[in-house]
Amino acid sequence: MATDAQQACFEAGIKFGSLYHQFAGTPVSPSSTRSLEAAMAEAIENQPFCESVSVAIHDDRVADAIDHENGYTELTGSLMDVEMRIAYEGVTVRTRMTMRDGYPLMELVGVDDEADGTPGSGTTN
Amino acid sequence: MATDAQQACFEAGIKFGSLYHQFAGTPVSPSSTRSLEAAMAEAIENQPFCESVSVAIHDDRVADAIDHENGYTELTGSLMDVEMRIAYEGVTVRTRMTMRDGYPLMELVGVDDEADGTPGSGTTN
Amino acid sequence: MATDAQQACFEAGIKFGSLYHQFAGTPVSPSSTRSLEAAMAEAIENQPFCESVSVAIHDDRVADAIDHENGYTELTGSLMDVEMRIAYEGVTVRTRMTMRDGYPLMELVGVDDEADGTPGSGTTN
Amino acid sequence: MATDAQQACFEAGIKFGSLYHQFAGTPVSPSSTRSLEAAMAEAIENQPFCESVSVAIHDDRVADAIDHENGYTELTGSLMDVEMRIAYEGVTVRTRMTMRDGYPLMELVGVDDEADGTPGSGTTN
């Protein structure tokens, strides 16, 4: 059977894939970044075991991506940073999406299992 | 060639299809309806010729659609009302989505062509 | 009231917005273009008044858009051409999406109203 | 640091969330199920570490979900079964989505870590 930590990581991945593929492609401009950030975070926080989501869409990157004539672009991973915390049966998983070599990478930041009795064990920072 | 009024109706349809298929499936609960409404409206208002969008997600319908164990549901047309106003070359198109016989229907409410010299001509109400 | 031709154009727009925002963001590589084209066309042909949809995803553009390490990219308007024919109450609307000045543009190609008694009237080609 | 098995489970979750939120809401009828199944599987198989995806959309459930007048419905989790196999650094993760108490549940079926030297260890069946 899968361990609680493995299950927690599976749940964390589900949230990341959901967030990305639900909202990628959304029309966005510097005037609509705040409402989109809030909606993305609150939508995914509805999902089971999801403790917190923070989404930061960078206005300057959005502005740079806009073709003059249209005044907006479509949301992609390169325009935002995302952090999430998932909690499952005493295991807390922290994840983030950031740019790495020009490519938006979803990654596990830390897996903390209370049952280990070692606070912070299993984390990368 | 298509008339300005036909072009305006085409643009109105694009916005409606975009809004629906971008956001349908988003996890939603009564605690996240306001941020989702705002994000949907502001996102689609970015698109060309789109003057205004209003989205009303009904908290009571969301609550009714929620399976107890999970605490959220997925956004569908039956949970919301949408109104939009599109303006293209002097033609204003008003559209809405509402429930009709249990099915969410996108419909043209009015097509006002300033060039007609008849304010309000071509509208249904 | 909206004319049949205006209503037909509205319906055509809905299909285009639906197709774009349902499928934009889908992971795609040269080995999966054919199945995605077929699914997109058949899915949208389900919608009311939609007579035919053809989707051509350009393998060479997909290959060019791929970052070596990953082997796939995400579907955007710049990778494909789309043509649709909508029929509503005797009015046939032809639409397409193609690249124009580096930007994917959805446009009305022709609006043929049988009631006009002028086959082909109202079309651009 | 996360273990390879945890990382593999995270990757498995990403694929599941991606598949679901990319394709939920797609118009579907019994005549378009095969093309949609193929496109979904091939699209997600493009993603890193994803060895195989199988999607079975049940024609009878689709038919039951269709409102007579329209002839199609929108894809939801209740209409399909999905199985995936993810491979990451010697760890193979098997996952599936099936109906459980009327709700589509994504679940880990097995986590096989070659490094354990116990073929099949860590699996539920």
Side-chain angles (χ1 to χ4, degrees):
Chain A
M1 240 191 69
T3 67
D4 285 344
Q6 290 168 353
Q7 188 71 42
C9 292
F10 180 61
E11 293 291 339
I14 291 174
K15 274 67 182 168
F16 242 122
S18 297
L19 179 141
Y20 194 84
H21 285 274
Q22 182 63 57
F23 294 102
T26 301
V28 65
S29 68
S31 69
S32 70
T33 45
R34 295 297 86 75
S35 63
L36 186 53
E37 289 171 347
M40 292 173 73
E42 291 191 13
I44 301 303
E45 284 173 351
N46 284 318
Q47 294 192 324
F49 315 115
C50 191
E51 284 207 336
S52 69
V53 179
S54 76
V55 178
I57 303 175
H58 297 279
D59 290 9
D60 54 341
R61 295 187 204 165
V62 171
D64 287 349
I66 290 177
D67 179 275
H68 341 162
E69 284 190 55
N70 301 295
Y72 74 100
T73 188
E74 297 174 9
L75 187 69
T76 66
S78 63
L79 301 176
M80 59 182 168
D81 294 321
V82 179
E83 296 189 358
M84 293 197 206
R85 198 171 63 244
I86 272 69
Y88 179 88
E89 298 288 332
V91 182
T92 300
V93 175
R94 288 174 294 125
T95 66
R96 71 177 165 214
M97 184 174 68
T98 45
M99 294 302 288
R100 188 68 58 91
D101 299 327
Y103 177 76
L105 190 70
M106 301 176 190
E107 61 187 2
L108 284 174
V109 175
V111 182
D112 291 309
D113 192 340
E114 287 179 9
D116 286 358
T118 2
S121 82
T123 68
T124 59
N125 54 5
Chain B
M1 239 191 70
T3 66
D4 285 344
Q6 290 168 353
Q7 188 70 42
C9 291
F10 180 62
E11 292 291 339
I14 291 174
K15 274 68 184 169
F16 242 122
S18 298
L19 179 142
Y20 194 85
H21 286 273
Q22 181 63 57
F23 293 102
T26 302
V28 65
S29 69
S31 69
S32 70
T33 45
R34 295 297 87 76
S35 63
L36 186 53
E37 289 172 347
M40 292 173 74
E42 291 191 13
I44 301 302
E45 285 174 349
N46 284 318
Q47 294 191 323
F49 316 116
C50 191
E51 283 208 334
S52 69
V53 178
S54 76
V55 178
I57 304 174
H58 298 278
D59 289 9
D60 55 341
R61 296 188 202 165
V62 171
D64 287 349
I66 291 177
D67 178 276
H68 341 163
E69 283 191 56
N70 301 295
Y72 74 100
T73 187
E74 296 175 10
L75 187 69
T76 65
S78 62
L79 302 176
M80 59 181 168
D81 294 321
V82 179
E83 297 189 357
M84 291 198 206
R85 198 170 64 244
I86 272 69
Y88 179 88
E89 298 287 329
V91 182
T92 299
V93 176
R94 287 173 295 124
T95 66
R96 71 177 166 216
M97 184 174 69
T98 46
M99 295 302 288
R100 188 69 57 91
D101 300 327
Y103 177 75
L105 190 70
M106 300 177 191
E107 61 187 2
L108 284 173
V109 175
V111 182
D112 291 309
D113 192 339
E114 285 179 10
D116 286 357
T118 2
S121 82
T123 69
T124 59
N125 54 3
Chain C
M1 239 190 71
T3 66
D4 285 345
Q6 290 167 353
Q7 188 70 43
C9 292
F10 180 61
E11 292 291 339
I14 290 174
K15 274 68 183 168
F16 242 121
S18 297
L19 179 141
Y20 194 85
H21 286 274
Q22 182 63 57
F23 293 102
T26 301
V28 65
S29 68
S31 69
S32 70
T33 45
R34 296 297 86 76
S35 64
L36 186 53
E37 288 171 348
M40 292 174 72
E42 291 190 14
I44 301 302
E45 284 173 351
N46 284 318
Q47 294 192 323
F49 316 116
C50 191
E51 284 209 333
S52 69
V53 178
S54 76
V55 178
I57 303 175
H58 297 279
D59 290 9
D60 55 341
R61 295 187 204 165
V62 171
D64 287 350
I66 291 177
D67 179 276
H68 342 162
E69 284 191 53
N70 302 295
Y72 75 101
T73 188
E74 296 174 11
L75 187 69
T76 65
S78 62
L79 301 176
M80 60 181 167
D81 295 321
V82 179
E83 297 189 357
M84 292 198 205
R85 198 172 64 246
I86 272 70
Y88 179 88
E89 298 288 331
V91 182
T92 300
V93 175
R94 289 174 294 125
T95 65
R96 71 177 165 215
M97 184 174 70
T98 45
M99 294 302 288
R100 189 69 57 91
D101 299 327
Y103 177 75
L105 191 69
M106 301 176 190
E107 60 188 0
L108 284 173
V109 175
V111 181
D112 291 309
D113 192 341
E114 287 179 8
D116 285 357
T118 0
S121 82
T123 69
T124 59
N125 53 4
Chain D
M1 239 190 72
T3 66
D4 285 344
Q6 290 167 352
Q7 188 70 42
C9 291
F10 180 62
E11 293 291 339
I14 291 175
K15 274 67 182 169
F16 242 121
S18 298
L19 179 142
Y20 194 85
H21 286 274
Q22 182 62 56
F23 293 102
T26 301
V28 65
S29 69
S31 69
S32 70
T33 45
R34 295 297 87 74
S35 63
L36 186 53
E37 289 171 349
M40 292 174 72
E42 291 191 13
I44 301 303
E45 284 174 349
N46 285 317
Q47 294 191 324
F49 316 115
C50 191
E51 284 207 334
S52 69
V53 178
S54 76
V55 178
I57 303 175
H58 298 278
D59 290 9
D60 54 342
R61 296 187 203 165
V62 170
D64 287 349
I66 290 177
D67 178 277
H68 337 166
E69 283 191 55
N70 301 295
Y72 74 101
T73 188
E74 297 174 10
L75 187 69
T76 66
S78 63
L79 301 176
M80 59 182 169
D81 294 322
V82 179
E83 297 188 358
M84 292 198 207
R85 197 171 66 244
I86 273 68
Y88 178 89
E89 298 288 332
V91 181
T92 300
V93 176
R94 288 174 294 123
T95 66
R96 72 177 165 215
M97 184 174 69
T98 46
M99 294 302 288
R100 188 70 57 91
D101 300 327
Y103 176 77
L105 189 70
M106 301 176 189
E107 60 187 3
L108 284 173
V109 175
V111 181
D112 290 310
D113 192 340
E114 287 180 8
D116 286 357
T118 0
S121 82
T123 68
T124 59
N125 54 4

